[in-house]
């Protein structure tokens, strides 16, 4: 009895599998016309055997992608001896390529002018190796990079909507933002609602550039950073991104500074006419706890909010409000308002005019007008959303 | 008895598992809806296809939203137009997809442009000429005969990743090729009375369509590819339309009609908005509908 049941089940299993395999096959009896038979013959003779690595078309060169982006500025500032400036703020040279089937690399050099000394300096801002083939859909980057802290720190100046970083970034890190040397690992987080959620964890030391909150330190204490990015498609035309970030690392007092950050970005772009109209609203706030000694913890804040509207295919207007204190010092505060007009003749050239009014608790109000021209040549990798 | 029950349960579960494997669909992500349509026509029930761009969207400018990364991270196959058409949005998506199968060189990566006889391959590359595509004009799916080559490229990948269903894909490919040949004959016959008709287009995206259906595109509203129409260019086109007795301006769904309408009013012509992709409107449900619609629009405008 047992044997017959087993035989029956094995037979049914085999037939089940064969049904499963053949169920997707379609009846080809309707394709037996003379025309189709001729086509069949043609195809049999012309169909190449599928190759496991059919080479896509590529440039007849193994050179990496190389791009150079210039950032020229003219400005008027209401205070100071030299009210009018005209200078090349930065030249960014990027070299990027796939290293091998398992990784890609990027190097970014910045040639910038120190406005105080007038000297041109060269800085290696980014040098990374990114592995694309880790298990569990993880991605790892090592080297020197801009940590994914908040929404705006990761951007390079040529990609800003406005001509400068918000005061919050200037005051708590540096006018170029924060850099880091270490390892970054990111992964997609499965969730029951199936929206995009990415967790990034970074460990290392803060870059050697000036940084108001953090230092590389003399001890083994490292910089730890985490970022959780949540992205929602609200409609076909609108998206919402909410990010949470936190970092802790050594400060100049040989204690720790801990910073938490929340970023919210709403974007609207009608899919059909997405090159003609768009709207972005972005807000970010940080809370910084600086420990200057073993007994004290100084808590200060920074925030910005901007809106940008595209009024024509090549023209954008925007406004930004910033508030920021400084790390470890509640008495110093900046409040700035910026108005922007940006014109982009093509993707490779941006002209921007910005007016900024700064109200400072530690000095006179400042009015500034900046005219900036960004121009790029070569092959520059497209930016993430 | 207890043993036989366990065996029955085990075999039943095994059957269910084998059945689910047999029925498990191949997850495909394509950049454009046209590639989605052709993949569905070749893959039949075996494929579950998602297209990133909509049919009424400018394929040069698609936002690389993170939600697409989620789709790509789970895909078995990725189909791209290639030729740098999607250079502004596919690389950041693939770089973040964390999926080796669909990267360039991976078994699920499909460059639909392979073996396409390309038009307008530049002898030299200079951005002063506007948005020039260094490998040639990438709007090749707008010649239905190229649809056969696209289908062949998609077929090759499907067979590579799912060889058990080769016969199904072959049958579907044969059917697709047969339908295209039959339909191309119909479409070209319909447009035949208007061969060599001179027209104006907004953007240089119709050379394959132009060649297949015998139209003659004389000029563009864009002074250079990707550069928005300027008053001097529009004035030049108006003059040209009057001089050459051109009556038609071809627009695309994702360009506003303001400039085309202005020129048409001043030159005594009319604007025809052709579909550039499947899904440009709700009546265009597949690759054959695309040309049914465009041919009908052209014939109706020229009659």
């Amino acid at each position: 009895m047992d044997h017959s049941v087993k035989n029956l089940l094995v037979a049914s299993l085999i037939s089940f599998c064969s049904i499963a395999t053949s169920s997707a096959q379609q009846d080809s009896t309707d394709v037996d016309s003379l025309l189709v038979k001729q086509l069949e013959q043609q195809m049999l003779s012309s169909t190449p055997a599928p190759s496991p690595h059919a080479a896509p078309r590529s440039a007849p060169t193994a050179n990496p992608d190389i791009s150079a982006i210039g950032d020229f500025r003219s400005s008027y500032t209401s205070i100071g001896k030299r009210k009018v400036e005209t200078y090349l703020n930065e030249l960014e040279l990027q070299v990027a390529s796939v290293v091998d089937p398992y990784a890609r690399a990027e190097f970014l050099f910045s040639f910038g002018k120190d406005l105080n000394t007038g000297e041109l300096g060269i800085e290696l801002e980014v040098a990374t190796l990114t592995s694309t083939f880790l298990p569990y859909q993880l991605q790892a980057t090592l080297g020197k990079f801009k940590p994914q802290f908040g929404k705006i720190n990761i951007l390079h100046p040529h990609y800003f909507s406005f001509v400068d970083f918000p005061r919050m970034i200037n005051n708590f890190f540096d006018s170029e933002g924060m850099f880091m040397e270490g390892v970054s690992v990111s992964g997609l987080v499965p969730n029951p609602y199936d929206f995009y959620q990415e967790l990034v964890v970074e460990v290392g030391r803060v870059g050697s550039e000036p940084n108001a909150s953090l230092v590389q330190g003399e001890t083994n204490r490292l910089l730890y950073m985490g970022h959780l990015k949540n992205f929602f498609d609200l409609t076909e035309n609108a998206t919402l991104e909410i990010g949470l970030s936190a970092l802790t690392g050594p400060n100049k007092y040989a204690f720790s500074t801990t910073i938490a950050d929340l970023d919210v970005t709403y974007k609207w772009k009608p899919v059909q006419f997405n090159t003609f109209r768009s709207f972005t609203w972005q807000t970010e706030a940080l809370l910084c706890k600086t420990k200057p000694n073993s007994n004290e913890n100084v808590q200060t804040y920074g925030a910005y909010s901007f809106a940008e509207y595209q009024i024509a295919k090549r023209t954008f207007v925007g406004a930004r409000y910033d508030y920021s204190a400084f790390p470890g010092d509640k008495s110093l505060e900046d409040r700035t308002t910026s108005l922007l007009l940006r014109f982009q003749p093509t993707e490779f050239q941006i002209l921007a005019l910005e007016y900024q009014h700064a109200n400072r608790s530690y000095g006179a109000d400042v009015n500034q007008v900046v005219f900036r021209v960004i121009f790029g040549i070569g092959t520059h990798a497209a930016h993430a959303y | 008895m207890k043993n036989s029950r366990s065996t029955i349960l085990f075999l039943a579960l095994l059957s269910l598992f084998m059945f689910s494997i047999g029925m498990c669909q191949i997850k495909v992500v394509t950049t454009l809806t046209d590639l989605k349509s052709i993949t569905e026509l070749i893959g039949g029930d075996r494929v579950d296809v998602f297209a990133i761009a909509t049919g009424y969207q400018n394929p040069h400018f698609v936002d690389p939203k993170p939600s697409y990364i989620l789709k790509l991270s789970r895909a078995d196959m990725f189909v791209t137009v290639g030729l740098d058409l999607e250079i502004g949005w596919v690389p950041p998506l693939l770089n973040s997809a964390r999926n080796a199968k669909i990267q360039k060189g991976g078994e699920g990566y499909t460059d639909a442009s392979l073996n396409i006889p390309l038009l307008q391959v530049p002898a030299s590359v200079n951005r002063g000429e506007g948005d020039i595509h260094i490998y040639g004009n990438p709007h090749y799916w707008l010649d239905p005969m190229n649809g056969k080559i696209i289908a062949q490229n998609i077929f090759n990948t499907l067979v590579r990743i799912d060889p058990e269903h080769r016969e199904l894909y072959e049958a579907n490919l044969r059917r697709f090729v047969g339908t295209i040949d039959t339909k191309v004959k119909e479409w070209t016959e319909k447009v035949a009375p208007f061969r060599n008709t001179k027209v104006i287009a907004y953007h240089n995206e119709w050379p394959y369509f132009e060649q297949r259906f015998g139209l003659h595109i004389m000029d563009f509203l864009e002074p250079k590819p990707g550069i928005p129409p300027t008053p001097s260019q529009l004035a030049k086109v108006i003059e040209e339309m009057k001089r050459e007795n051109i009556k038609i301006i071809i627009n695309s769904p994702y360009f506003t009609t303001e400039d085309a309408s202005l020129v048409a009013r001043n030159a005594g012509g009319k604007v025809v908005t052709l579909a550039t992709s499947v899904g440009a409107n709700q009546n265009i449900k597949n690759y054959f509908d695309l040309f049914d619609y465009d041919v009908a629009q052209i014939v109706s405008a020229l009659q």
Side-chain angles (χ1 to χ4, degrees):
Chain A
M1 177 65 184
D2 272 357
H3 266 294
S4 60
V5 170
K6 274 182 194 170
N7 288 342
L8 186 66
L9 278 168
V10 170
S12 62
L13 175 65
I14 292 166
S15 46
F16 208 5
C17 290
S18 58
I19 290 167
T21 322
S22 61
S23 63
Q25 295 181 3
Q26 291 186 358
D27 187 0
S28 61
T29 51
D30 57 341
V31 291
D32 60 354
S33 69
L34 181 63
L35 174 66
V36 175
K37 275 184 181 165
Q38 285 171 350
L39 283 167
E40 189 178 347
Q41 293 233 316
Q42 279 175 24
M43 277 179 47
L44 284 174
S45 58
S46 64
T47 302
S51 130
H53 294 293
R57 288 176 197 198
S58 57
T61 169
N63 285 342
D65 292 342
I66 301 171
S67 67
I69 298 175
D71 176 351
F72 172 83
R73 298 178 183 204
S74 289
S75 64
Y76 167 81
T77 309
S78 61
I79 61 168
K81 280 184 183 172
R82 283 170 55 166
K83 291 187 168 61
V84 177
E85 289 287 358
T86 176
Y87 58 102
L88 183 76
N89 182 53
E90 186 187 42
L91 169 68
E92 183 189 289
L93 182 67
Q94 189 198 45
V95 181
S97 181
V98 167
V99 176
D100 57 24
Y102 312 108
R104 60 178 187 275
E106 179 192 347
F107 302 97
L108 196 149
F109 302 89
S110 170
F111 301 73
K113 188 177 175 181
D114 186 323
L115 279 182
N116 297 320
T117 63
E119 285 180 10
L120 194 70
I122 303 173
E123 221 171 81
L124 176 65
E125 289 195 343
V126 174
T128 57
L129 178 75
T130 300
S131 167
T132 49
F133 286 86
L134 288 182
Y136 307 109
Q137 293 196 320
L138 294 174
Q139 202 162 70
T141 297
L142 58 84
K144 183 178 181 184
F145 50 86
K146 287 195 128 185
Q148 292 198 40
F149 181 82
K151 179 72 177 167
I152 207 163
N153 178 69
I154 197 164
L155 301 182
H156 290 277
H158 70 266
Y159 200 56
F160 291 168
S161 292
F162 290 77
V163 302
D164 56 353
F165 264 128
R167 291 308 307 173
M168 172 184 110
I169 298 292
N170 277 276
N171 292 1
F172 283 89
F173 304 119
D174 180 56
S175 60
E176 298 288 320
M178 171 173 47
F179 293 87
M180 183 173 177
E181 289 174 57
V183 180
S184 170
V185 178
S186 67
L188 301 179
V189 183
N191 61 78
Y193 303 102
D194 207 27
F195 64 89
Y196 181 89
Q197 196 171 44
E198 183 188 18
L199 180 65
V200 185
V201 176
E202 297 174 337
V203 183
R205 289 195 185 273
V206 72
S208 51
E209 293 78 8
N211 190 304
S213 296
L214 303 157
V215 294
Q216 291 197 326
E218 301 292 324
T219 67
N220 289 329
R221 192 181 295 147
L222 296 173
L223 169 64
Y224 297 93
M225 208 287 301
H227 177 72
L228 182 67
K229 176 175 176 172
N230 304 279
F231 181 86
F232 308 92
D233 279 305
L234 300 178
T235 66
E236 184 180 73
N237 301 331
T239 62
L240 179 68
E241 182 181 330
I242 300 172
L244 298 164
S245 308
L247 68 78
T248 182
N251 61 25
K252 62 185 175 187
Y253 308 108
F255 289 95
S256 289
T257 287
T258 302
I259 307 178
D261 181 283
L262 167 71
D263 63 85
V264 180
T265 305
Y266 170 83
K267 286 187 183 181
W268 172 83
K269 215 179 219 191
V271 165
Q272 186 168 5
F273 298 111
N274 65 0
T275 54
F276 294 89
R277 288 284 181 276
S278 65
F279 173 76
T280 302
W281 169 69
Q282 186 172 312
T283 295
E284 191 172 344
L286 67 74
L287 161 66
C288 177
K289 279 187 176 180
T290 307
K291 204 172 172 62
N293 55 57
S294 57
N295 302 320
E296 216 180 338
N297 231 336
V298 182
Q299 196 165 293
T300 49
Y301 305 88
Y304 71 88
S305 184
F306 77 76
E308 183 184 81
Y309 183 63
Q310 183 183 4
I311 56 174
K313 186 166 185 182
R314 303 190 282 186
T315 312
F316 299 74
V317 291
R320 187 180 80 198
Y321 180 77
D322 299 6
Y323 162 81
S324 183
F326 288 78
D329 195 337
K330 290 178 179 176
S331 63
L332 306 179
E333 288 180 321
D334 278 322
R335 288 181 173 80
T336 61
T337 307
S338 311
L339 299 172
L340 173 82
L341 173 65
R342 199 170 81 237
F343 179 69
Q344 296 184 192
T346 66
E347 300 151 65
F348 312 104
Q349 209 183 139
I350 302 169
L351 287 75
L353 184 66
E354 184 176 300
Y355 163 75
Q356 192 172 83
H357 174 79
N359 175 271
R360 307 177 300 171
S361 66
Y362 50 91
D365 285 9
V366 182
N367 288 300
Q368 191 179 44
V369 178
V370 182
F371 173 65
R372 179 173 83 151
V373 181
I374 297 283
F375 49 101
I377 56 171
T379 307
H380 188 77
H383 293 270
Y385 186 71
Chain B
M1 187 63 184
K2 200 177 176 184
N3 262 355
S4 65
R5 274 189 189 161
S6 307
T7 313
I8 292 168
L9 188 65
F10 172 73
L11 289 172
L13 286 173
L14 189 66
S15 308
L16 195 66
F17 178 67
M18 298 292 284
F19 181 71
S20 64
I21 287 175
M23 292 305 288
C24 190
Q25 288 181 304
I26 297 165
K27 289 194 174 68
V28 187
V29 175
T30 66
T31 54
L32 302 195
T33 49
D34 313 278
L35 303 178
K36 175 179 190 270
S37 173
I38 297 174
T39 305
E40 286 172 340
L41 289 164
I42 305 304
D45 294 340
R46 291 285 307 145
V47 293
D48 173 16
V49 193
F50 172 79
I52 294 174
T54 65
Y56 42 84
Q57 187 168 12
N58 188 334
H60 297 91
F61 302 101
V62 175
D63 288 316
K65 295 179 192 173
S67 41
Y68 303 143
I69 294 170
L70 215 53
K71 297 274 185 193
L72 287 164
S73 71
R74 297 165 184 165
D76 303 301
M77 179 174 164
F78 173 66
V79 191
T80 175
V81 169
L83 308 176
D84 283 355
L85 175 83
E86 308 107 326
I87 194 168
W89 50 283
V90 162
L93 289 175
L94 285 185
N95 284 345
S96 301
R98 301 165 171 84
N99 184 349
K101 284 185 285 187
I102 58 161
Q103 303 293 329
K104 267 188 184 177
E107 65 168 9
Y109 182 89
T110 310
D111 182 347
S113 73
L114 282 176
N115 301 321
I116 296 279
L118 296 173
L119 300 177
Q120 299 177 350
V121 180
S124 65
V125 181
N126 183 345
R127 279 194 189 147
E129 299 297 314
D131 273 346
I132 297 292
H133 293 279
I134 60 172
Y135 305 113
N137 192 299
H139 300 272
Y140 57 83
W141 70 92
L142 288 167
D143 176 354
M145 292 304 271
N146 284 341
K148 295 198 291 185
I149 301 171
I150 297 170
Q152 179 72 63
N153 289 325
I154 290 168
F155 166 84
N156 287 348
T157 306
L158 284 172
V159 169
R160 190 159 64 233
I161 61 180
D162 184 28
E164 292 83 13
H165 295 87
R166 183 184 183 109
E167 283 177 27
L168 166 73
Y169 303 137
E170 273 180 348
N172 287 345
L173 179 62
R174 277 197 297 273
R175 188 178 296 117
F176 179 83
V177 168
T179 311
I180 283 285
D181 284 343
T182 310
K183 292 259 221 189
V184 163
K185 206 179 271 182
E186 282 173 27
W187 292 325
T188 45
E189 276 170 12
K190 282 182 183 168
V191 185
F194 312 105
R195 278 192 84 80
N196 295 319
T197 300
K198 293 173 180 170
V199 298
I200 298 290
Y202 188 107
H203 175 65
N204 184 13
E205 59 192 322
W206 301 100
Y208 298 92
F209 187 86
E210 175 191 20
Q211 179 181 262
R212 177 60 50 201
F213 297 109
L215 299 176
H216 194 177
I217 296 174
M218 297 292 287
D219 209 341
F220 304 96
L221 298 191
E222 290 179 340
K224 288 176 178 175
I227 307 294
T230 55
S232 58
Q233 176 67 9
L234 297 184
K236 177 177 160 251
V237 170
I238 291 168
E239 187 57 40
E240 203 170 357
M241 286 180 72
K242 286 178 179 168
R243 192 178 62 243
E244 300 286 340
N245 196 28
I246 300 170
K247 296 294 176 197
I248 298 293
I249 302 166
I250 298 176
N251 203 42
S252 304
Y254 36 79
F255 295 126
T256 55
T257 52
E258 288 163 20
D259 296 313
S261 299
L262 175 78
V263 173
R265 267 198 314 276
N266 284 280
K270 58 178 157 182
V271 181
V272 181
T273 299
L274 296 186
T276 50
S277 278
V278 173
N281 64 52
Q282 56 186 11
N283 296 320
I284 306 173
K285 292 184 169 41
N286 63 37
Y287 192 63
F288 307 120
D289 293 346
L290 175 65
F291 297 100
D292 280 340
Y293 178 84
D294 281 348
V295 166
Q297 290 292 107
I298 282 286
V299 169
S300 148
L302 292 174
Q303 268 170 351

